[in-house]
Amino acid sequence: AYNLATLYETGDGVAADAARAAALYRQAAQDGVPEAAARLGRLYLTGAGVAPDAAAARHWYGIAAAAGLAAAQNALGELYDDGGGGAEDMDEALRLYRAAAAQGHVDAIANLGLMHYLGRGVPRNPAAAFRHFLEAAKSGHLGAQYNVGAMHETGEGVRQDFGQARDWYALAAEAGDVDAQTALGRLYEEGPMGRRDYQLARAWYQRAADQGGVEAMVRLARLLRTGRAGVRNRAGALTLMRQAAAAGDVGAQYAVGE
């Protein structure tokens, strides 16, 4: 049942049918296949093939987590972390993240970093947060790469190093992370490393803006309005400001009079 369910879920060789996949995953999970319980938990969380039900997601993820599946442990930890499907439980979230992280689950390692950075379930500890973020970043986790860059930029939890901030932002930015693209553009615009490069700033802001990055839209608009990056385009700047305003940016709304 489990293998057939994966085919129906992905549409591999059969017409995709999420409801049929859910029914088969349920059958397999009841037959003792923890991977099926984990996939059924995800379907309940996303509402694919079944009505969205975070409490049901907790139930099925719990079965898979108890069987030792790291991905399910992390997913269940996130539900306890944010109160999805029931009460928040930071102690249980932390236990699950640690169990998954011990198996090398990168998202769980990054989540441990957030717990330590925000002081959720543990005393706030930026240095411990940085260590977790760095471990996840080295495994390619984009959010962790951004966080490592940000902590190097601010000097929180690690020695301030703008060159390291730039390099970590660049790793995530090249992979498409909008926050990292915007932060990298800001570094080039503001020049804390000793040299400003408005053209590189414009290029990174453009990449982030093209993906809907609101802060990047506003910053790119200012560069285009002033011409600091070698191109003055007031019409383009106004268009960007209007897009940012429509996305809810208060400063942009004020700038365009909305």
Side-chain angles (χ1 to χ4, degrees), residues 154-171:
T154 62
E156 188 176 19
V158 67
R159 181 176 61 84
Q160 188 174 50
D161 187 327
F162 293 114
Q164 284 288 315
R166 175 199 60 207
D167 292 347
W168 283 106
Y169 283 151
L171 272 178

Side-chain angles (χ1 to χ4, degrees), residues 66-116:
L69 270 63
Q73 291 168 340
N74 179 68
L76 184 59
E78 290 176 347
L79 288 172
Y80 279 113
D81 196 346
D82 63 18
E88 288 186 2
D89 187 333
M90 293 300 104
D91 290 338
E92 185 63 5
L94 189 64
R95 183 189 71 80
L96 287 159
Y97 288 153
R98 283 173 172 162
Q103 298 186 65
H105 195 277
V106 177
D107 287 345
I109 296 168
N111 280 331
L112 281 175
L114 286 173
M115 297 284 274
H116 283 89

Side-chain angles (χ1 to χ4, degrees), residues 30-192:
Q30 290 171 340
D31 288 340
V33 180
E35 292 82 2
R39 286 180 178 251
L40 185 56
R42 188 183 69 243
L43 293 183
Y44 272 112
L45 196 60
T46 61
V50 292
D53 188 337
R58 272 200 191 199
H59 170 74
W60 292 108
Y61 275 138
I63 291 172
L69 270 63
Q73 291 168 340
N74 179 68
L76 184 59
E78 290 176 347
L79 288 172
Y80 279 113
D81 196 346
D82 63 18
E88 288 186 2
D89 187 333
M90 293 300 104
D91 290 338
E92 185 63 5
L94 189 64
R95 183 189 71 80
L96 287 159
Y97 288 153
R98 283 173 172 162
Q103 298 186 65
H105 195 277
V106 177
D107 287 345
I109 296 168
N111 280 331
L112 281 175
L114 286 173
M115 297 284 274
H116 283 89
Y117 185 80
L118 298 173
R120 292 175 63 82
V122 291
R124 188 171 187 273
N125 187 336
F130 179 81
R131 290 193 296 272
H132 288 299
F133 287 145
L134 183 61
E135 182 180 355
K138 289 179 176 178
S139 294
H141 191 286
L142 299 187
Q145 290 173 347
Y146 169 81
N147 288 334
V148 169
M151 295 181 82
H152 272 299
E153 183 182 0
T154 62
E156 188 176 19
V158 67
R159 181 176 61 84
Q160 188 174 50
D161 187 327
F162 293 114
Q164 284 288 315
R166 175 199 60 207
D167 292 347
W168 283 106
Y169 283 151
L171 272 178
E174 290 286 2
D177 186 89
V178 172
D179 290 335
Q181 290 169 344
T182 304
L184 188 57
R186 178 174 46 74
L187 280 186
Y188 282 120
E189 180 184 7
E190 297 175 354

Side-chain angles (χ1 to χ4, degrees), residues 237-253:
L238 181 58
T239 296
L240 285 163
M241 278 293 190
R242 284 174 172 164
Q243 289 174 348
D249 185 273
V250 175
Q253 290 170 348

